[in-house]
Amino acid sequence: MRPSGRQPDQLREIRITRNFTKHAEGSVLVEFGDTKVICTATVDRGVPRFLRGSGSGWVTAEYGMLPRSTNTRNDREAARGKQGGRTIEIQRLIGRSLRAALDLNKLGENTITIDCDVIQADGGTRTASITGACVALIDAINVLKKDKHGALKGNPVKYMLAAISVGIYKGEPVLDLDYAEDSSAETDMNVIMTDKGGFIEVQGTAEGAPYTQDELNKMLALADKGIKEIIALQKAALES
Amino acid sequence: MRPSGRQPDQLREIRITRNFTKHAEGSVLVEFGDTKVICTATVDRGVPRFLRGSGSGWVTAEYGMLPRSTNTRNDREAARGKQGGRTIEIQRLIGRSLRAALDLNKLGENTITIDCDVIQADGGTRTASITGACVALIDAINVLKKDKHGALKGNPVKYMLAAISVGIYKGEPVLDLDYAEDSSAETDMNVIMTDKGGFIEVQGTAEGAPYTQDELNKMLALADKGIKEIIALQKAALES
Amino acid sequence: MRPSGRQPDQLREIRITRNFTKHAEGSVLVEFGDTKVICTATVDRGVPRFLRGSGSGWVTAEYGMLPRSTNTRNDREAARGKQGGRTIEIQRLIGRSLRAALDLNKLGENTITIDCDVIQADGGTRTASITGACVALIDAINVLKKDKHGALKGNPVKYMLAAISVGIYKGEPVLDLDYAEDSSAETDMNVIMTDKGGFIEVQGTAEGAPYTQDELNKMLALADKGIKEIIALQKAALES
Amino acid sequence: MRPSGRQPDQLREIRITRNFTKHAEGSVLVEFGDTKVICTATVDRGVPRFLRGSGSGWVTAEYGMLPRSTNTRNDREAARGKQGGRTIEIQRLIGRSLRAALDLNKLGENTITIDCDVIQADGGTRTASITGACVALIDAINVLKKDKHGALKGNPVKYMLAAISVGIYKGEPVLDLDYAEDSSAETDMNVIMTDKGGFIEVQGTAEGAPYTQDELNKMLALADKGIKEIIALQKAALES
Amino acid sequence: MRPSGRQPDQLREIRITRNFTKHAEGSVLVEFGDTKVICTATVDRGVPRFLRGSGSGWVTAEYGMLPRSTNTRNDREAARGKQGGRTIEIQRLIGRSLRAALDLNKLGENTITIDCDVIQADGGTRTASITGACVALIDAINVLKKDKHGALKGNPVKYMLAAISVGIYKGEPVLDLDYAEDSSAETDMNVIMTDKGGFIEVQGTAEGAPYTQDELNKMLALADKGIKEIIALQKAALES
Amino acid sequence: MRPSGRQPDQLREIRITRNFTKHAEGSVLVEFGDTKVICTATVDRGVPRFLRGSGSGWVTAEYGMLPRSTNTRNDREAARGKQGGRTIEIQRLIGRSLRAALDLNKLGENTITIDCDVIQADGGTRTASITGACVALIDAINVLKKDKHGALKGNPVKYMLAAISVGIYKGEPVLDLDYAEDSSAETDMNVIMTDKGGFIEVQGTAEGAPYTQDELNKMLALADKGIKEIIALQKAALES
C-alpha cells in the first residue's frame, strides 16, 4: 500500500556516517532513505550575552536546504536575504530539543552550534536532522571532554534523542513518511523521544481531516517503535 | 496551588468582544484573563499567485505583540527589520489551523487575512489568538455571504476551532497556563480542537523533564474540557 | 459644512484613559473621535551610547499602525521588513517634540521609550499620539520620581504638550480634521504647543493650492484654541 | 554677530549651474555658500502602479549625502542597507513640494525622478536641494516638451519653487543658516514658497525654547525676502 | 617544499562524481584534494525579464559555503540576511565564465541556474566550483537536448572550461594551491581556460609583493598545464 | 578606428584635482575624459576588531555611483537596501589594491576609509577610482604625518599605484576604453601597477571570444605604457 512497498511500521534504511567532513568537532551524514543531511557540531568558548557569568552553556541550531536538494529548485535563502518561516520553525525545534537532552550547567560556558544542511530531500528532513545532530553533538562533547580547558562540569548528556515522523496515510497510521506519503498524508506528526522513552516534543498537525485520540495513540505507538530502532543505530554508530 | 488560586481544570475568565474596531470585516477583542489580543479578519478579492485560477480561496495570518504588551519592553519588529522566530512560528500555526477549519474551495478566490495583535500579554497569547481569530473569521465570512459579488460556493466553515494551553506545573497537569505558570512549567502543550472534538494541532514540548504517555493523556483530557467551554463562549458571542 | 456636522473650531470628542494596559510605567489610550491610539512609556536605566557619561537622559518614540486600523489593510511593517517613510517621519516628530518638553539633564541617565500604536485610525493619528504620549510620559516620570535609584535631578518636565491638526477644508479653516476632511483638504497643518502657549513644532503642507499668510494665521489661531482645550483634558486626566 | 559676518537678512552666495553632468534630462549643481548639491531630473515613460491608466504623471525624489560630505564621515546608507530617518524625511519633503508645483495631469503618464546628492554640506542641504531640483525639473520638462512622444498635455509647471531656512540664532531671527548657526539655533524653520508668494510648506521646530507667534512672523518675513531673491537667481539661470 | 609534498606543477587528486544527488538535471561532486563542492545545474523554462522575447537563454550561478566547511565556523549567510562580498565576487565569476562557454542563442529561452555549495574547504573552492559546474552544465544541457519542448537551437556548448589556481609560494610558482599555501602565498592567481587553450578569465592579485611579467608568465604556463589535465578528467567523467 | 578618434595606445585626457571638497583629509576629483569620480580619504583613530592591539592600521574602500551618473538611471542602492554585486566587487578591488601599496604596520592603529563616488560615468570608473584614491590616500597620510598623535611609525607608503583598462576592441588591443568601446569589447582587462612597474592586480575577462597569450601580452604592454603616464600625472598633482 505504501509507495515504497514498506510495511506500515517499517523505517526506511537509516545510515549514520560519523566524521563526514574534517573540520567540525562533530560531523555526521545522516540518511533516512533518500533524505540526506549533513549535521555538524561546532564548539566555541563563551556563551550568548544572556548567559554570561551564569556558568551555564548553550546549544543552538541552524537548518538549511541546498537550493536543489528538492525536486524543483528553491530560492537560496542567503540570496533572498532571509530565512523562510519553515526554516526558522525547524531550526528552533532542533535547538530546543537538543537543549532538552543536556544538562547545560555541566556544559560550562561553552556554546555548541549545530548546523543541519539538507543535501537531498525526500521527506522527514527535520527528523533526520535531529537524529543526526544528536550524534554530532555527542561527538563534539567528547572532544570537549578531552580538552583540559573545556570547563565541563561532569557529563552534560542526560539523554540520547531521536526523532521520527508518523502520520495517517490513506487512512492508515504509518511510520517514517517519505515525500510521496508526506505530501498527501491526512495527518503529519513529528515525535522526539529519549532513549529512556520519554517525550521531548510531539507535534501533530491535521493536514486533511481532524484526527482522533485513537489515531493519536496509534501514531505514538508507531513512533515509539521507530525511535527505539533509531536509537540502537545511533548507539552502534557511536561505538564504531 | 496555582498562583492565581484556580483549580487545575479551571480556565481564566474568557471574554470575546465582537466589532471591537470599525474598519475590519471581522474584529474581535479576545481576553484570556489579562491576556488581550485584537483579532481582525480582512477580506480581499483574489488569491496568491499559486492559487490563481484554481477556484480555491486562501486564509493567512500575521501575529505581533505591541512592544510593551509584556513585562519588559521587546524591540519593535518593524524597527528591527524582521519578525522574530517565535512570531513566525505562531503566525504559521494560526494560519494553518484556520485553513483546516474551512473548505477553501467553497471560499472562492477570496483571501482572508487574519491579524492577531497582542496588546497585553499574560501567557497563552497564541491560544487566545486562534480562539479570537476563529470568531473574526466567521464574521468576515458572514460579510462575504451577504456580498453578491463575493463568489462563495456554499458555506466554507467546516468547523469552529478553539485553542488552549495545558501543561505540567509543579508536577500536576493544569489547564490554561498564565505567565507565572508558563514560565516555570515542566511541559507546555498547545491543543487546537474542533467543535466536533477532533484534533487540529497538538504541540507538546518538554521544558524540563521528558513527559510520559500518561501525562500526555491527562493533558489532552484537560484540553478537551477547556475547549468545550471555550467553544460555548464563541458560539454565545456569535449569537449575541 | 463639515462631514461630521462640527463647527469649524470644534474638536472631536477627546478621551484620555490612563493605565490602559498593566505592564508599562505609563499607558494611555487616547481617542480623538474614532481615532484610537495606545501610548505607552517605558523607563530603562541607561542611555544610548552618544550620551553615556553625560548625565543626560533620553526620550525616543516609535509609532505603528495595526494593519487593519485603516479602511483598507496596510501591509504589516514587521513583515515587509521595514518601516515606511510616513511612519519614520511621524515617530521622529513625536520623539523630537517630547524631548523639547523635558529638561533631559534633570532626567538623569534614564531612557524613556514612547510607543504609539494606532488601533483605529480616522485622521489625526500623529496629533493624538503626541497628546496621549505626553500623559504617558508624565506618568512614567512620576514612577521614576518614586524610585530611589531613579537618579532624577529635579523635575524634568518643563512643559505639557498637546498637538492638533488644522487645515483649509472647502476654503475654510477648520480644527481637528477627521479622515473625511483630511483626505480632501487643501492645506494640512500640524501644530504642537506647550501649556505656556509657545510653539514646539509647526508643519503646514499645501496639499492643493499654496496658502497665504492670512490663512496661516487663521489656522494657528484655531490650533491655539484647540490646544488649550486639549491641555485642560490632559490635566484633568492626570489629576483623576 | 553671525559667524560668517553676514547681515541677519543676508543670503549666502548662491550659484546655480545647469548641465552639470551630461546624461540626465536636467542636471544642476546648486551651491548655497559651501553647501553643494547635485540635483538631477530623470524622465521615464510610465507611472507607478497606482496611477496607471489615470492619465496623470508623477514626480518623486531621492536624497543622499556622500559619506564625507560632512565634517566627520557618515556611514554610507547603501552599505548599512537602509536610508536613515533624516534622509527619508528630506526626500519625502522634496518630492511632495515639487509635486505641488506641477499640474500632474498635464504631465501625462511620465515619471520624473529627482536625485539630490550632497557632495559638500554646510547647513541648508534640504533647502538647497529643493531650489536646485526645481531648476532641474524645469529643464527635464523642457526636454519632454520637445519630445513628440512625450505626451505632455500643456505646460505642467504651475509655479516655480524655492526653499530657504530661517531660524532664531542667539535670540535674533536670521536668514539662510549655515552649519555653525544651524547647530546652535534655538529654532530652525524651513520655508518653501512659490514665485507667486504662496506657501508650499512651512516646518518650524523649536530646538531650544518654544517660539512665539511674533518670532514666527519675523522668520516668515525673512523667508519671504530670501525666496524672492533666490527665485530671481533661478530665473536668471534658466534664461542663460 | 610544498606542505603537501607535491611538485610545483602537480595538481592535487581531482575527482568528479556525476549524478551525486538525484533531483537536479546536472549534479556533480567535485573534489580537489580535501576541497569538496556540490555543483548542481537546474533547468527552467523562461529567462529573466531583460531577455524575454530575445530568443536567447541565460546561465546564472550562486555559491555558498556550509558554515562549518572551514576550519572555524563562518556565520550562515541566510541567517545574517546577506551574502558576503567574497561570495558575491565568486558567484559572479562562475556565472560570467560559464556564459562565455555557451552560445546563449542556441540555448533558446531557457535558464540554467548553477549552485556551487562547498561542503569542505581546503583552498581553491572557486576553481573547483567552475570545474565541477562545467560538467553539471553539460549534463543539464544533455537533458534539454532530449526534451522535445526544450527549444534548443543546436548545440549551445562552444567550449569546455576548467579553472585552476596558481601562485607564488615561498618565491616559487606553484600549481593548485591548498589552504596552507593559499593563506601565505605572495601572489594568488585564478585562471580559467577553454579546452581550445584560450583564456576566459585571468585574475592575479599581489598578496605580498607586486609580481613581475616573468612571474606572470610562469604562473600562466603552470595553469595551462594544469587545465589540460583537468579537462581530460572532465571529459573522462562525461564519457563514463 | 576608435569612436573617440584616439590612437590605440592613447589615454583620454586625465585630470586630477586635489582638495575638491573641504571636509575630508584627502579629497580628489579624478577625470578620465568624461568619467568623473570624487575620491575622499577619511582618517579615523582605531582599527576594526580583528586588528586591535596588533599595532597595524587598515585601509578600506567603498564605491558608489550617483543614480544618474549613467545614461539611464540606476536604482539608488541605499533605497534598494543593498549594494549590487558589481559595486561590491569594485570596492573590494579598490581596498585590496590600496592596502598592497602600504606598509600597514607603519600606519599604526589608524583606519583610512576611501570613498569613491562616480558623478559621471563613461567607462573605466574603477580604474579612475583607484588612480584618484591613491592621491587622496597620500594626502590623508600627509595629514597624519603632521599629527603628533597620529602614531605613524615611519612612512607607510611603499608604492604609488595607478590603474588602467585595456582591451581588445574590433580585434585590436587598445588602452583606456571609454563606454562606447567597453560595451562592445571582446576582452576587458583592468591592470593595477606600482610606480616601480610591478603588478598589483590583473583582471582580464573574455567578453566575446577567449583571448590568447599573445593578446594578453600586448594588452599588458599597453597598460604598462598608460600607467607610467598616469603616475607622472599623479606625481605632478601631488607636487602642485
Side-chain angles (χ1 to χ4, degrees):
Chain A
M1 177 215 62
R2 302 181 73 173
S4 59
R6 281 186 284 149
Q7 295 301 310
D9 67 348
Q10 188 182 348
L11 295 170
R12 290 178 281 182
E13 187 182 354
I14 290 177
R15 270 163 265 122
I16 295 170
T17 307
R18 288 165 65 212
N19 303 316
F20 183 67
T21 55
K22 74 173 187 177
H23 295 299
E25 283 74 29
S27 175
V28 166
L29 174 71
V30 61
E31 300 169 81
F32 278 33
D34 275 350
T35 289
K36 302 183 184 195
V37 187
I38 301 175
C39 306
T40 61
T42 296
V43 175
D44 285 300
R45 294 297 161 80
V47 284
R49 183 177 309 220
F50 69 94
L51 284 175
R52 275 180 211 154
S54 70
S56 172
W58 189 242
V59 175
T60 186
E62 290 184 356
Y63 170 93
M65 299 179 86
L66 296 199
R68 195 58 198 281
S69 59
T70 44
N71 193 39
T72 56
R73 187 177 182 273
N74 291 299
D75 285 347
R76 183 178 293 266
E77 291 182 328
R80 279 199 309 141
K82 58 188 256 186
Q83 296 180 295
R86 178 183 169 276
T87 294
I88 287 171
E89 206 173 89
I90 292 175
Q91 68 191 14
R92 282 167 59 87
L93 174 65
I94 299 169
R96 188 167 67 227
S97 305
L98 294 176
R99 283 191 296 276
L102 297 191
D103 181 334
L104 294 173
N105 283 310
K106 290 190 178 158
L107 185 56
E109 290 204 9
N110 295 293
T111 295
I112 300 180
T113 304
I114 302 294
D115 287 290
C116 297
D117 285 277
V118 178
I119 61 174
Q120 189 172 277
D122 187 35
T125 65
R126 82 187 70 190
T127 49
S129 293
I130 292 166
T131 298
C134 179
V135 175
L137 176 68
I138 290 172
D139 274 338
I141 287 172
N142 285 334
V143 170
L144 261 179
K145 283 182 184 167
K146 290 175 196 147
D147 179 352
K148 283 182 208 165
H149 307 291
L152 287 191
K153 295 172 281 186
N155 182 5
V157 182
K158 295 194 295 185
Y159 312 104
M160 287 203 55
L161 289 187
I164 197 67
S165 71
V166 286
I168 310 288
Y169 175 71
K170 299 200 172 175
E172 186 165 352
V174 293
L175 179 68
D176 187 19
L177 287 74
D178 57 30
Y179 180 75
E181 293 167 330
D182 192 31
S183 54
S184 64
E186 291 107 66
T187 299
D188 182 19
M189 181 173 284
N190 292 290
V191 181
I192 309 173
M193 297 178 74
T194 72
D195 55 348
K196 305 294 187 330
F199 292 106
I200 292 296
E201 184 109 12
V202 172
Q203 289 198 349
T205 303
E207 305 281 357
Y211 54 97
T212 64
Q213 174 86 41
D214 180 56
E215 288 172 322
L216 174 62
N217 287 341
K218 283 177 177 156
M219 289 189 283
L220 292 176
L222 282 177
D224 184 66
K225 171 183 182 291
I227 281 176
K228 283 194 173 70
E229 294 173 26
I230 297 170
I231 286 178
L233 293 168
Q234 288 174 312
K235 290 188 171 169
L238 282 165
E239 281 157 16
S240 71
Chain B
M1 175 216 66
R2 302 181 72 173
S4 60
R6 282 185 283 149
Q7 295 300 313
D9 67 349
Q10 188 182 348
L11 294 171
R12 290 177 283 183
E13 187 182 354
I14 290 178
R15 271 163 265 122
I16 295 169
T17 306
R18 288 165 65 212
N19 303 316
F20 183 67
T21 56
K22 74 172 187 178
H23 295 298
E25 283 74 29
S27 174
V28 166
L29 174 71
V30 61
E31 300 170 82
F32 278 34
D34 275 350
T35 289
K36 302 183 184 197
V37 187
I38 300 176
C39 306
T40 61
T42 296
V43 176
D44 287 300
R45 294 297 161 79
V47 284
R49 182 177 309 222
F50 70 94
L51 283 175
R52 276 183 210 152
S54 71
S56 172
W58 189 241
V59 175
T60 185
E62 291 184 356
Y63 169 93
M65 300 180 86
L66 296 198
R68 196 57 198 282
S69 59
T70 44
N71 192 40
T72 56
R73 186 177 183 273
N74 291 299
D75 285 347
R76 184 178 292 267
E77 291 182 327
R80 279 201 306 140
K82 57 188 257 186
Q83 296 180 294
R86 180 184 168 276
T87 294
I88 287 171
E89 205 173 270
I90 292 175
Q91 68 191 14
R92 283 167 59 88
L93 174 65
I94 299 170
R96 186 167 68 226
S97 304
L98 293 176
R99 284 192 295 277
L102 296 190
D103 180 335
L104 294 173
N105 283 310
K106 291 191 178 157
L107 186 55
E109 290 205 7
N110 295 293
T111 295
I112 300 179
T113 303
I114 302 295
D115 287 290
C116 295
D117 284 277
V118 178
I119 62 176
Q120 189 172 278
D122 188 34
T125 66
R126 81 188 71 189
T127 50
S129 292
I130 292 166
T131 298
C134 179
V135 175
L137 175 68
I138 290 172
D139 274 339
I141 286 172
N142 285 333
V143 169
L144 261 179
K145 282 181 185 167
K146 291 176 196 147
D147 179 350
K148 282 183 212 165
H149 307 290
L152 287 191
K153 294 173 282 187
N155 182 6
V157 181
K158 295 194 295 184
Y159 312 103
M160 287 203 54
L161 290 187
I164 197 65
S165 71
V166 286
I168 309 289
Y169 174 72
K170 299 200 173 174
E172 186 165 351
V174 293
L175 178 67
D176 188 19
L177 287 73
D178 57 29
Y179 180 76
E181 294 167 330
D182 191 32
S183 55
S184 64
E186 291 108 64
T187 299
D188 182 17
M189 180 173 286
N190 292 292
V191 181
I192 309 173
M193 296 178 74
T194 73
D195 55 348
K196 306 292 189 326
F199 293 105
I200 292 295
E201 184 108 12
V202 172
Q203 290 199 349
T205 303
E207 305 280 356
Y211 54 98
T212 64
Q213 174 86 42
D214 181 55
E215 288 172 322
L216 175 63
N217 287 341
K218 282 177 178 157
M219 289 189 283
L220 292 176
L222 282 177
D224 184 65
K225 172 182 181 293
I227 281 176
K228 283 194 172 70
E229 293 173 28
I230 297 170
I231 286 178
L233 292 168
Q234 289 173 311
K235 290 188 171 169
L238 282 165
E239 281 156 19
S240 72
Chain C
M1 178 216 63
R2 301 180 73 174
S4 60
R6 281 186 283 148
Q7 295 301 312
D9 67 349
Q10 188 182 349
L11 295 170
R12 290 178 281 183
E13 187 182 355
I14 291 178
R15 270 163 265 121
I16 295 169
T17 306
R18 288 165 64 213
N19 303 317
F20 183 67
T21 56
K22 73 173 188 179
H23 295 299
E25 284 73 29
S27 174
V28 166
L29 175 71
V30 61
E31 300 170 80
F32 278 32
D34 275 351
T35 289
K36 302 183 185 196
V37 187
I38 300 175
C39 306
T40 61
T42 296
V43 176
D44 286 301
R45 295 296 162 78
V47 285
R49 183 177 308 220
F50 69 95
L51 284 174
R52 275 180 211 154
S54 70
S56 172
W58 189 242
V59 174
T60 186
E62 290 184 355
Y63 170 92
M65 300 180 87
L66 296 200
R68 194 59 197 281
S69 59
T70 44
N71 193 39
T72 56
R73 186 177 183 273
N74 291 299
D75 285 348
R76 184 178 292 268
E77 292 182 326
R80 279 201 306 140
K82 59 188 256 187
Q83 296 180 296
R86 178 184 170 276
T87 294
I88 287 170
E89 206 172 88
I90 292 175
Q91 68 191 13
R92 281 167 60 87
L93 174 64
I94 299 170
R96 188 168 66 226
S97 305
L98 295 175
R99 283 191 296 275
L102 297 191
D103 180 335
L104 294 173
N105 283 309
K106 291 191 177 156
L107 186 56
E109 292 205 6
N110 295 293
T111 295
I112 301 181
T113 304
I114 302 293
D115 288 289
C116 296
D117 285 277
V118 178
I119 62 175
Q120 190 171 277
D122 188 34
T125 65
R126 82 187 70 187
T127 51
S129 293
I130 292 166
T131 298
C134 180
V135 176
L137 176 67
I138 290 172
D139 274 339
I141 287 172
N142 285 334
V143 170
L144 261 179
K145 284 181 184 166
K146 292 175 195 146
D147 179 351
K148 283 182 210 165
H149 307 291
L152 286 191
K153 295 173 281 186
N155 182 5
V157 181
K158 295 194 294 185
Y159 311 104
M160 286 204 54
L161 290 187
I164 197 65
S165 71
V166 285
I168 311 287
Y169 175 71
K170 300 200 171 174
E172 187 164 352
V174 293
L175 178 68
D176 187 18
L177 287 73
D178 57 28
Y179 180 75
E181 294 168 329
D182 191 32
S183 55
S184 64
E186 291 107 65
T187 299
D188 182 19
M189 180 174 285
N190 293 292
V191 181
I192 309 174
M193 297 178 75
T194 72
D195 54 348
K196 307 291 189 327
F199 293 106
I200 292 295
E201 184 109 11
V202 172
Q203 290 198 349
T205 303
E207 304 281 356
Y211 55 97
T212 65
Q213 174 87 42
D214 181 56
E215 288 172 323
L216 175 63
N217 288 341
K218 283 178 178 155
M219 289 189 284
L220 292 176
L222 282 177
D224 184 65
K225 172 183 181 292
I227 281 175
K228 283 194 172 69
E229 294 174 26
I230 297 170
I231 286 177
L233 293 169
Q234 289 173 312
K235 290 187 171 170
L238 282 164
E239 282 158 17
S240 71
Chain D
M1 176 217 63
R2 302 180 72 174
S4 60
R6 281 186 284 150
Q7 295 301 312
D9 67 349
Q10 188 182 348
L11 294 171
R12 290 178 281 184
E13 187 182 356
I14 291 178
R15 270 164 265 121
I16 296 170
T17 306
R18 288 164 65 212
N19 303 316
F20 183 67
T21 55
K22 73 173 188 178
H23 295 298
E25 284 73 31
S27 174
V28 166
L29 175 71
V30 62
E31 299 170 81
F32 278 34
D34 275 351
T35 289
K36 303 183 184 195
V37 187
I38 300 175
C39 306
T40 61
T42 296
V43 176
D44 286 300
R45 295 296 161 79
V47 284
R49 183 177 308 220
F50 69 94
L51 284 174
R52 275 181 211 152
S54 70
S56 171
W58 190 241
V59 174
T60 186
E62 290 184 356
Y63 170 93
M65 300 180 86
L66 296 200
R68 194 58 197 282
S69 59
T70 44
N71 192 39
T72 56
R73 187 177 182 274
N74 291 299
D75 285 347
R76 184 178 292 268
E77 292 182 327
R80 279 200 309 139
K82 58 187 256 187
Q83 296 180 295
R86 178 183 169 276
T87 293
I88 287 170
E89 206 173 89
I90 292 175
Q91 68 191 14
R92 282 167 60 87
L93 174 64
I94 299 170
R96 188 167 67 227
S97 306
L98 294 176
R99 285 191 295 275
L102 297 191
D103 181 334
L104 294 173
N105 284 309
K106 291 191 179 157
L107 186 56
E109 291 205 5
N110 295 293
T111 295
I112 300 181
T113 304
I114 302 294
D115 287 290
C116 296
D117 285 277
V118 178
I119 62 175
Q120 190 171 277
D122 187 33
T125 66
R126 81 188 72 188
T127 50
S129 293
I130 291 166
T131 297
C134 180
V135 176
L137 176 67
I138 289 172
D139 274 339
I141 287 172
N142 285 334
V143 169
L144 259 179
K145 282 181 185 168
K146 291 177 195 145
D147 179 351
K148 283 183 211 165
H149 306 292
L152 287 191
K153 295 173 281 187
N155 182 4
V157 181
K158 295 194 295 185
Y159 311 104
M160 287 204 53
L161 290 187
I164 197 65
S165 71
V166 285
I168 311 288
Y169 174 71
K170 300 199 171 174
E172 186 164 351
V174 294
L175 179 67
D176 188 18
L177 288 73
D178 57 28
Y179 180 75
E181 294 168 330
D182 192 33
S183 56
S184 65
E186 291 107 64
T187 300
D188 182 18
M189 180 173 286
N190 293 291
V191 181
I192 309 173
M193 296 179 75
T194 72
D195 54 350
K196 307 291 190 323
F199 292 106
I200 292 295
E201 184 108 12
V202 172
Q203 289 198 349
T205 303
E207 304 281 356
Y211 54 97
T212 64
Q213 174 85 42
D214 181 55
E215 289 172 322
L216 175 63
N217 287 342
K218 284 177 177 156
M219 288 189 284
L220 292 176
L222 282 177
D224 185 64
K225 172 182 182 291
I227 281 176
K228 282 194 174 69
E229 295 174 26
I230 297 171
I231 286 178
L233 293 168
Q234 289 173 312
K235 289 188 172 169
L238 282 165
E239 281 157 17
S240 70
Chain E
M1 176 217 61
R2 303 181 72 174
S4 60
R6 282 186 283 148
Q7 295 301 312
D9 67 349
Q10 188 182 348
L11 295 170
R12 290 177 282 182
E13 186 182 355
I14 290 178
R15 270 161 266 123
I16 296 169
T17 307
R18 288 164 66 212
N19 303 315
F20 183 67
T21 56
K22 73 173 188 177
H23 294 299
E25 284 74 29
S27 174
V28 166
L29 174 71
V30 61
E31 299 169 82
F32 279 33
D34 275 350
T35 290
K36 302 182 184 196
V37 186
I38 300 176
C39 306
T40 61
T42 296
V43 176
D44 285 300
R45 294 296 161 78
V47 284
R49 182 177 309 220
F50 69 94
L51 284 174
R52 275 181 210 152
S54 70
S56 172
W58 189 242
V59 174
T60 186
E62 290 184 357
Y63 169 92
M65 299 180 87
L66 296 199
R68 194 57 197 281
S69 59
T70 43
N71 192 39
T72 56
R73 187 178 182 273
N74 291 299
D75 284 347
R76 183 178 293 267
E77 291 182 327
R80 280 199 309 141
K82 58 188 256 186
Q83 295 180 296
R86 178 184 169 277
T87 293
I88 287 171
E89 205 173 89
I90 292 175
Q91 67 191 15
R92 282 167 59 87
L93 173 65
I94 300 170
R96 189 167 66 228
S97 305
L98 294 177
R99 284 192 295 276
L102 296 192
D103 181 335
L104 294 173
N105 283 310
K106 290 190 178 158
L107 186 55
E109 291 205 7
N110 295 293
T111 295
I112 300 180
T113 304
I114 302 294
D115 287 289
C116 297
D117 285 277
V118 178
I119 62 175
Q120 190 172 277
D122 187 35
T125 66
R126 80 187 72 189
T127 50
S129 293
I130 292 166
T131 297
C134 180
V135 175
L137 176 68
I138 289 172
D139 274 339
I141 286 172
N142 285 334
V143 169
L144 261 178
K145 282 182 185 167
K146 290 176 196 149
D147 178 351
K148 284 182 210 166
H149 307 291
L152 288 191
K153 295 174 281 187
N155 182 6
V157 181
K158 295 195 294 185
Y159 310 104
M160 287 203 56
L161 290 186
I164 197 66
S165 72
V166 285
I168 310 288
Y169 175 71
K170 299 198 172 176
E172 185 164 353
V174 293
L175 178 68
D176 187 20
L177 288 73
D178 57 29
Y179 180 76
E181 293 167 329
D182 192 32
S183 56
S184 64
E186 291 107 65
T187 299
D188 182 18
M189 180 173 285
N190 292 291
V191 181
I192 309 174
M193 297 178 76
T194 72
D195 54 349
K196 306 291 187 327
F199 292 106
I200 292 295
E201 183 109 11
V202 172
Q203 290 198 349
T205 302
E207 304 281 357
Y211 53 96
T212 64
Q213 174 85 42
D214 180 56
E215 288 172 322
L216 175 64
N217 288 341
K218 282 178 178 155
M219 288 189 283
L220 292 176
L222 282 178
D224 184 66
K225 171 181 183 291
I227 281 175
K228 282 194 173 70
E229 294 174 27
I230 297 170
I231 286 177
L233 293 168
Q234 288 174 313
K235 290 189 171 168
L238 282 165
E239 281 157 18
S240 71
Chain F
M1 177 215 64
R2 301 181 74 174
S4 60
R6 281 186 283 149
Q7 295 301 312
D9 66 349
Q10 188 182 349
L11 294 171
R12 291 178 282 183
E13 187 181 357
I14 290 178
R15 270 163 266 122
I16 295 170
T17 306
R18 288 166 65 212
N19 303 316
F20 183 67
T21 55
K22 74 173 188 177
H23 295 299
E25 283 73 30
S27 174
V28 166
L29 174 71
V30 62
E31 299 170 82
F32 278 33
D34 275 350
T35 290
K36 302 182 184 196
V37 187
I38 300 175
C39 305
T40 62
T42 296
V43 176
D44 285 300
R45 294 297 162 77
V47 285
R49 181 178 309 220
F50 69 94
L51 284 175
R52 275 181 210 152
S54 70
S56 171
W58 189 242
V59 175
T60 185
E62 291 184 356
Y63 170 93
M65 300 180 86
L66 296 200
R68 195 58 197 281
S69 59
T70 44
N71 192 40
T72 56
R73 186 176 183 273
N74 291 299
D75 284 348
R76 184 178 292 268
E77 291 182 327
R80 279 200 308 139
K82 57 188 257 188
Q83 296 179 295
R86 177 182 169 278
T87 294
I88 288 171
E89 205 172 89
I90 292 175
Q91 68 191 14
R92 282 167 60 88
L93 174 65
I94 299 170
R96 187 167 67 227
S97 305
L98 294 176
R99 284 191 296 276
L102 297 190
D103 180 334
L104 294 172
N105 283 310
K106 291 190 177 158
L107 186 55
E109 291 204 8
N110 295 293
T111 295
I112 300 180
T113 304
I114 302 294
D115 287 289
C116 296
D117 285 276
V118 178
I119 63 175
Q120 189 173 276
D122 187 35
T125 66
R126 83 187 68 190
T127 50
S129 293
I130 292 165
T131 298
C134 180
V135 176
L137 176 67
I138 290 171
D139 273 340
I141 287 171
N142 285 333
V143 169
L144 260 180
K145 283 182 184 167
K146 292 174 195 148
D147 178 352
K148 284 181 207 165
H149 307 290
L152 287 191
K153 295 173 282 186
N155 182 6
V157 181
K158 295 193 295 184
Y159 312 103
M160 287 203 54
L161 289 188
I164 196 65
S165 70
V166 285
I168 309 289
Y169 174 71
K170 299 201 173 174
E172 186 164 352
V174 294
L175 178 67
D176 187 19
L177 287 73
D178 58 29
Y179 180 75
E181 294 167 330
D182 191 32
S183 56
S184 64
E186 291 107 66
T187 298
D188 183 18
M189 180 173 285
N190 292 292
V191 181
I192 309 174
M193 297 178 75
T194 72
D195 55 348
K196 306 293 189 325
F199 292 106
I200 292 296
E201 183 108 13
V202 172
Q203 290 199 349
T205 303
E207 304 281 356
Y211 54 96
T212 63
Q213 174 86 42
D214 180 56
E215 288 172 321
L216 175 63
N217 287 342
K218 283 176 178 157
M219 289 189 284
L220 291 176
L222 282 177
D224 184 65
K225 171 183 182 292
I227 281 175
K228 283 193 173 71
E229 294 173 26
I230 297 170
I231 285 178
L233 293 168
Q234 289 173 313
K235 289 187 171 170
L238 282 165
E239 282 156 16
S240 70

